[in-house]
Amino acid sequence: MKVFRGGAVLRWMAGAALCLAGPALSTFASGQQNVLQMPGISVRTESTPITIILLLTFLTLLPAILLSMTPFVRILIIFHFLRQALGTQTAPTNQTLIGLALFLTYFLMQPVIGSVRKEALTPYEHGKINAWQALDRSAVPMRQFMLQYTREKDLALFLEMSKEPRPTRPEDLSMSIVIPAYVISELKTGFQIGAVLFLPFLVIDLVTASVTTSVGMFQLPPVVISTPLKILLFVVVDGWNLVIGSLLRSFHV
C-alpha cells in the first residue's frame, strides 16, 4: 500500500525552484552588475528591483510549467469531458476535480520524483553539485517520462520549426522541443478519451429525446429526464472506479 507524502512533493517543488532560481539569487550578494540567468535567457539588469521582478515572475510561472510536464493536463481534460457528458454542470466542483487531478498526478509521478530526488535534489542539498548541474540531472527523468507519451509526429513538428539538427536519439532532444510536443500529445489523447466517454451518455440523450418527442412531452426538456438517468447509470456501473482505473492504466501501457 502506497502512502502519499506531501513533504516529498513540497521538497521536490522547492528543490526545482531553487535549482532554477539559485543563480539569480546569487546576484543579490555581489556588488557587481546584476545578471539574471535562466535556461535559454540571460538578462543584464542595472538594479536589484528589476531582478526581483523578473525572478518573481518566473517563480509565478513555475507551477504552470511543472504541471505542463506531468499527466495533470490529460487528467483534467478527461474530468471536464466527463462532467459535461453527465450534464451536471458544476458537480463535482472545480476544486474537487483539480484536487483529485493533483493527487493522481503525484501518484503517477512518484517514480520520476524519486529519481529527481536521488539524482539531483539530494546531491544539491549536500553541496556535491551546483544548481545548474542539479537542473541538468533533474531534466533527464522528466524527459524520459514525457517521451514515453509523446507522438513522433509532434516531436518532428517542433524539431522542424526549431531548425535544430536531428539528434541520433530522442533522449538528445532539448526540453524546448519535448515539452510543447508532450503537451500537444496529451491534449490529443485527452480529447480522444473524452470523446469515447461522451458516446454512452449521448445515446441516453438521443433515446430520451426520441421517447419524449414521440409521446408529445414538449413542455418538459429531454435533459431534465436524461440527466438523472445518466447519473443513475454512472453510479450503478461504478463509473468513478472505471474512469480512474482506465486513466491510470493509460499511463502504464
Side-chain angles (χ1 to χ4, degrees):
M1 181 177 179
K2 297 183 178 180
V3 180
F4 292 101
R5 298 175 180 175
V9 181
L10 295 178
R11 290 181 59 197
W12 179 65
M13 295 287 286
L18 287 175
C19 291
L20 296 175
L25 291 173
S26 63
T27 61
F28 300 149
S30 64
Q32 302 176 353
Q33 192 178 38
N34 293 328
V35 178
L36 177 63
Q37 294 183 349
M38 293 177 289
I41 301 175
S42 180
V43 181
R44 186 173 296 275
T45 62
E46 301 292 342
S47 61
T48 300
I50 296 179
T51 306
I52 295 176
I53 292 174
L54 293 175
L55 177 60
L56 292 179
T57 301
F58 179 72
L59 292 178
T60 302
L61 298 176
L62 184 61
I65 296 174
L66 292 176
L67 291 177
S68 299
M69 300 164 62
T70 63
F72 183 81
V73 177
R74 182 193 303 189
I75 295 172
L76 199 60
I77 290 175
I78 293 174
F79 284 168
H80 172 75
F81 274 104
L82 177 61
R83 188 170 65 179
Q84 293 295 320
L86 288 172
T88 54
Q89 303 301 323
T90 58
T93 61
N94 291 331
Q95 292 83 352
T96 303
L97 294 181
I98 293 175
L100 179 58
L102 286 174
F103 276 105
L104 291 177
T105 299
Y106 174 62
F107 180 83
L108 291 169
M109 293 295 292
Q110 283 188 92
V112 181
I113 294 174
S115 299
V116 171
R117 185 190 302 114
K118 178 181 178 182
E119 301 295 333
L121 185 55
T122 300
Y124 177 71
E125 289 177 343
H126 290 81
K128 297 180 180 179
I129 58 176
N130 57 34
W132 293 115
Q133 290 174 332
L135 180 60
D136 291 337
R137 290 189 181 187
S138 63
V140 174
M142 292 298 302
R143 183 187 292 109
Q144 292 176 347
F145 172 81
M146 290 187 289
L147 286 175
Q148 294 180 16
Y149 309 104
T150 305
R151 299 187 305 166
E152 294 183 2
K153 182 178 180 181
D154 296 326
L155 289 173
L157 170 64
F158 287 98
L159 184 63
E160 177 185 357
M161 299 304 296
S162 65
K163 301 186 184 303
E164 293 185 6
R166 189 179 183 88
T168 56
R169 302 180 308 164
E171 291 77 11
D172 297 331
L173 289 169
S174 64
M175 295 295 282
S176 61
I177 295 177
V178 176
I179 293 176
Y182 170 77
V183 174
I184 291 181
S185 299
E186 286 295 279
L187 289 175
K188 181 179 184 297
T189 304
F191 273 77
Q192 287 178 333
I193 299 177
V196 174
L197 286 175
F198 246 107
L199 294 179
F201 300 107
L202 179 61
V203 172
I204 295 177
D205 287 331
L206 292 175
V207 172
T208 304
S210 300
V211 172
T212 55
T213 303
S214 62
V215 298
M217 298 176 59
F218 298 104
Q219 296 82 3
L220 187 64
V223 68
V224 176
I225 301 176
S226 63
T227 299
L229 294 177
K230 290 188 291 186
I231 295 176
L232 180 62
L233 175 64
F234 191 72
V235 172
V236 168
V237 300
D238 198 5
W240 283 111
N241 183 276
L242 294 175
V243 171
I244 300 300
S246 301
L247 186 56
L248 294 178
R249 293 186 188 96
S250 68
F251 286 96
H252 294 283
V253 294

